[in-house]
Amino acid sequence: MALELNLTKNTNDTIQGTLGKYYARVEYKGTMGLRELASHMHHHNTAFSKGIILGVLNDMVDCIKELALLGYVVKIDDLGLFKVSVDANGLTLEQGAKITAGRGSQRTDEELSENIAIQQFAVGAVKLIMQATGETTIENMNRDATLAFTSKTKAMVKSLTGSESTDGSGASDSNDNVNPNPNPNDNQGGENQGGNTGGGDEG
């Protein structure tokens, strides 16, 4: 079964060379929760019931969160490294300043000039991030992906080009690893849009 793609025309000229070009976006088929994942796993010839699998998955989620909030990096082999990161506020360290490691809004220069003793918070937000590892690295995902356009996109390509589009794999046909004109629609999803879980790590 293929990963289906739509093509959307870019109308934003922010990135040079991208205006008017068509970019691929994933057509998400829906969201699978833990219950649906447990049912899917149960039908993969496992000896465990859906209830047992669901219970283990729920416990795993709770434990990953608990350990991550204690400062551990939790590695699920061939899936990812789960860890906590923070969005940090810029702190002004001067005589009389009051600093807390807690979470709160960034203090403005105006606020601090009026009152240097106003509470400053080190952290704006705490977030869980995942870094791919093993079988989910970009190299291996490229290797395993089978790509195809949706029926609607196939029809659009044929009407605009006069030729049939073809399906393909994620393997590259060249040695180039970097696209000089990155997709301005990257991670936007298809008509059924999924969430973007990407995030940078400040640590």
Side-chain angles (χ1 to χ4, degrees):
M1 197 169 180
L3 180 66
E4 290 192 316
L5 307 171
N6 284 313
L7 290 178
T8 57
K9 187 176 183 179
N10 178 44
T11 58
N12 189 331
D13 61 356
T14 302
I15 303 176
Q16 185 177 4
T18 64
L19 184 64
K21 293 186 181 296
Y22 288 81
Y23 289 89
R25 301 196 303 178
V26 173
E27 172 69 15
Y28 294 106
K29 296 178 173 65
T31 301
M32 301 283 286
L34 285 184
R35 189 175 299 276
E36 292 78 18
L37 178 59
S39 178
H40 181 82
M41 292 171 66
H42 173 68
H43 289 97
H44 271 273
N45 299 316
T46 178
F48 301 106
S49 69
K50 287 182 285 186
I52 290 176
I53 296 172
L54 180 59
V56 171
L57 290 175
N58 277 316
D59 286 347
M60 182 183 74
V61 171
D62 290 341
C63 289
I64 288 175
K65 178 183 177 182
E66 176 186 358
L67 292 169
L69 285 172
L70 290 174
Y72 291 97
V73 177
V74 181
K75 182 179 180 181
I76 307 297
D77 291 337
D78 292 325
L79 177 60
L81 301 170
F82 295 84
K83 57 185 175 181
V84 163
S85 180
V86 298
D87 291 333
N89 293 324
L91 302 175
T92 299
L93 302 183
E94 296 179 359
Q95 286 296 318
K98 303 297 183 184
I99 308 297
T100 176
R103 188 188 65 79
S105 299
Q106 170 77 57
R107 295 301 187 186
T108 65
D109 290 340
E110 289 77 12
E111 288 177 313
L112 293 170
S113 65
E114 291 177 4
N115 180 15
I116 190 59
I118 191 172
Q119 189 79 71
Q120 294 185 63
F121 302 93
V123 173
V126 180
K127 58 190 178 183
L128 181 71
I129 62 175
M130 190 275 280
Q131 177 183 344
T133 185
E135 287 298 306
T136 58
T137 59
I138 293 176
E139 179 182 2
N140 288 326
M141 294 295 283
N142 282 340
R143 178 198 66 197
D144 296 335
T146 300
L147 306 172
F149 290 127
T150 61
S151 298
K152 181 180 70 174
T153 297
K154 288 180 180 179
M156 181 187 73
V157 170
K158 185 175 182 179
S159 69
L160 293 175
T161 68
S163 302
E164 298 280 357
S165 61
T166 60
D167 296 341
S169 70
S172 174
D173 61 357
S174 72
N175 292 323
D176 296 331
N177 293 320
V178 178
N179 180 359
N181 292 320
N183 181 356
N185 299 315
D186 194 25
N187 292 329
Q188 295 298 310
E191 290 186 346
N192 284 320
Q193 296 194 11
N196 176 14
T197 58
D201 180 21
E202 287 74 28

